[in-house]
Amino acid sequence: MSAVTTATDLDRTEDAVSPTDTPAGIAPDGLGTSKGDGVQQTEKMPARRRPRRVPARSAASETTKAAQPRTKVAATKTAAPKKAAPKQAGDEKRTQLRTIPTSKIDRDPGQPREHFDEASLQELAKSMSKLGQLQPITVRYIPETKRYTLVMGERRWRAAQIAELPQMQAVILHGVSEGRETFAKAVAENVGRADMTAIEESKAFKKLIDGHVDENGEQVEPGYTVDEVSELVGKSAAYVQWRIDLLRLCPEAQEALVKNQLPVGLAWYVGKLANDNQVRFLAKWVRGDFKSARDAEAFAQALHTEEKRQEQQGSFFVLSEEATATRKDNGQDALPGTLDLPEEERERITADRNKLVGKIDKLGTAGEILSLLAATEPAELALLLASTPGGIGGHRLRIKHLQDIATKAMANLRKAEMAAEVRASGLQVDPDAETAA
């Protein structure tokens, strides 16, 4: 009976444990209602219910989890361009070599060179037409206008325009704004060129020292020192300062210098003079009143010395065409520059003059000796002087010493001549006397 009962109980239990009839909230362990231990262990059916419910929940969960990463990845891909948006091509400093349209290149208004020889440009244009552009220019890119501004190579650019070249090879500087660095590059490229005038160099050096100034006249970048400029352009500091001093020339003198009517060396001495005397000096130079440029330099130095001397006395000195005639009427032709001296001093000058002139007259004897040595044949001189004390070498050294002294004496006499001419051709103006009058 027990075996039958057990089988029947199992069938009933199986029917009672239908998955559809299981009420919610009944635990799986509640299935075994039989009192037999073996039946309870065999009759538990959790495996049939769990696979049907758990897979459904797992699939939904998997779908939800799979959808979340895709949303994040999509969001990340969408947000990436926003982080890179603030960066622009023009903000990054870089250099590239490209071929660009000639029509999109503009001249730098701060270019140190202002004058270009037209004949030289025509020659370069013919060469570029046949051989093409042999060296690239340097430009900086302007993002706002999408054009290019020249940094180096304006002469090649001008020649390319004459030759009607549609494109040019260029080293393009990105992210470089107008400032002292770009201007320094332009100056360094042009300094020393034959067609760059001394005034252009002077203005360029002065601009580098003054620093970069904006439209309102305010300094945006500090300037260089004279030593720094000399290193940039490969010149000495003295050369740079000497060029800057030329800016003291009056406009007329600067124009004469640009047109090569006034030598650069002479112009530096002229720049030390007062503006009125610079103009009057130019008139004498143009008329050919000086025998050489050395004489003109000596005259300018003497004039500057006289200006300083008169300034210390409270007056100023002015060159005048009528000065020579005025001094002749006052006896100044005999003693130039001594009219303003006391009588005793003038007498002393007269006595010393007579002594000096007497010694200078003895130079005639030395001249005769030198003429004799110059006219005698070298072979004859060898026979005559070989056995003398000191030999030929000793006599040669004495002549060389005289030559050195004569050179210095000539330079001194030149300065003296110009000083006398300055005093003879100038007028001393006393401002106090004019006010009193």
Side-chain angles (χ1 to χ4, degrees):
M1 293 293 293
S2 62
V4 176
T5 307
T6 304
T8 306
D9 291 339
L10 285 173
D11 294 335
R12 291 173 181 172
T13 306
E14 230 173 72
D15 296 335
V17 188
S18 176
T20 56
D21 298 337
T22 303
I26 298 178
D29 293 339
L31 295 173
T33 56
S34 301
K35 295 180 180 180
D37 294 336
V39 176
Q40 292 176 356
Q41 294 176 358
T42 307
E43 299 300 321
K44 288 183 180 181
M45 301 295 293
R48 293 183 179 178
R49 293 194 302 273
R50 288 178 182 171
R52 293 178 181 176
R53 293 183 179 181
V54 173
R57 288 196 297 267
S58 299
S61 176
E62 291 292 334
T63 305
T64 306
K65 290 179 180 179
Q68 290 176 354
R70 291 194 190 100
T71 306
K72 291 181 179 179
V73 172
T76 305
K77 291 181 179 179
T78 305
K82 293 183 179 178
K83 294 181 180 178
K87 294 184 179 180
Q88 298 179 0
D91 297 335
E92 183 182 354
K93 284 190 176 183
R94 55 194 175 92
T95 303
Q96 62 178 166
L97 178 64
R98 284 183 52 193
T99 301
I100 59 177
T102 307
S103 59
K104 285 193 174 183
I105 304 173
D106 299 321
R107 181 182 187 273
D108 185 0
Q111 162 69 248
R113 290 175 65 186
E114 300 175 359
H115 302 275
F116 293 86
D117 182 63
E118 189 64 28
S120 177
L121 286 177
Q122 292 291 342
E123 293 177 359
L124 181 58
K126 291 180 181 179
S127 174
M128 293 178 70
S129 298
K130 294 181 179 179
L131 305 177
Q133 183 184 353
L134 301 180
Q135 184 179 3
I137 61 176
T138 302
V139 298
R140 58 186 179 90
Y141 180 65
I142 311 299
E144 294 80 8
T145 60
K146 296 183 179 180
R147 295 180 65 84
Y148 306 90
T149 300
L150 276 169
V151 176
M152 292 184 288
E154 181 171 349
R155 185 168 172 269
R156 279 162 279 165
W157 171 67
R158 287 174 178 261
Q161 289 181 313
I162 296 174
E164 297 182 352
L165 298 182
Q167 295 178 327
M168 294 191 72
Q169 288 184 340
V171 176
I172 305 174
L173 307 178
H174 292 271
V176 178
S177 60
E178 181 182 5
R180 72 172 193 170
E181 183 179 352
T182 55
F183 184 73
K185 291 180 180 180
V187 174
E189 187 208 21
N190 288 287
V191 166
R193 291 185 180 271
D195 52 355
M196 187 176 188
T197 67
I199 292 298
E200 288 174 344
E201 284 188 2
S202 304
K203 292 179 179 179
F205 293 159
K206 186 66 166 59
K207 187 174 180 179
L208 286 174
I209 291 175
D210 291 342
H212 183 56
V213 181
D214 61 10
E215 298 177 353
N216 299 324
E218 297 181 359
Q219 190 180 56
V220 179
E221 289 181 293
Y224 296 96
T225 64
V226 173
D227 292 334
E228 290 173 339
V229 172
S230 68
E231 293 178 2
L232 286 172
V233 301
K235 300 289 185 180
S236 66
Y239 178 91
V240 174
Q241 187 60 57
W242 180 52
R243 279 290 194 260
I244 294 175
D245 290 342
L246 293 177
L247 296 178
R248 296 183 300 189
L249 289 168
C250 63
E252 293 84 356
Q254 289 190 19
E255 183 179 357
L257 181 59
V258 170
K259 294 180 178 180
N260 295 323
Q261 297 174 353
L262 184 67
V264 179
L266 176 58
W268 186 78
Y269 293 103
V270 177
K272 293 184 175 183
L273 304 176
N275 284 356
D276 291 341
N277 284 335
Q278 286 186 31
V279 176
R280 290 174 172 82
F281 175 88
L282 283 175
K284 291 177 67 66
W285 170 258
V286 172
R287 287 197 307 266
D289 291 353
F290 304 105
K291 299 176 182 178
S292 63
R294 288 289 184 88
D295 287 351
E297 289 179 9
F299 184 89
Q301 292 180 39
L303 181 53
H304 177 59
T305 301
E306 188 65 21
E307 285 181 345
K308 291 176 64 177
R309 189 179 74 87
Q310 297 292 346
E311 184 180 357
Q312 292 175 354
Q313 297 178 2
S315 58
F316 56 91
F317 187 81
V318 180
L319 287 176
S320 175
E321 294 297 328
E322 297 81 12
T324 304
T326 304
R327 293 192 182 277
K328 284 183 178 180
D329 295 339
N330 293 327
Q332 270 304 101
D333 188 51
L335 295 174
T338 59
L339 185 62
D340 53 345
L341 296 177
E343 185 66 25
E344 295 180 357
E345 184 66 15
R346 293 180 64 188
E347 292 177 358
R348 182 196 66 79
I349 291 175
T350 303
D352 290 345
R353 170 195 281 182
N354 294 332
K355 292 179 182 179
L356 181 60
V357 170
K359 293 179 180 180
I360 291 176
D361 290 340
K362 295 180 181 179
L363 289 174
T365 304
E368 292 176 0
I369 297 173
L370 293 174
S371 298
L372 178 62
L373 291 173
T376 306
E377 293 291 333
E380 184 69 14
L381 286 177
L383 292 174
L384 296 175
L385 301 177
S387 58
T388 57
I392 300 176
H395 295 301
R396 184 168 173 270
L397 287 177
R398 293 178 67 181
I399 299 297
K400 178 66 169 60
H401 179 65
L402 289 175
Q403 182 183 8
D404 294 340
I405 295 177
T407 301
K408 294 180 180 179
M410 282 293 296
N412 235 9
L413 288 172
R414 178 186 289 112
K415 293 178 181 179
E417 181 183 6
M418 295 302 105
E421 186 174 344
V422 164
R423 293 194 174 189
S425 59
L427 292 174
Q428 176 183 349
V429 180
D430 186 355
D432 296 335
E434 289 186 355
T435 304

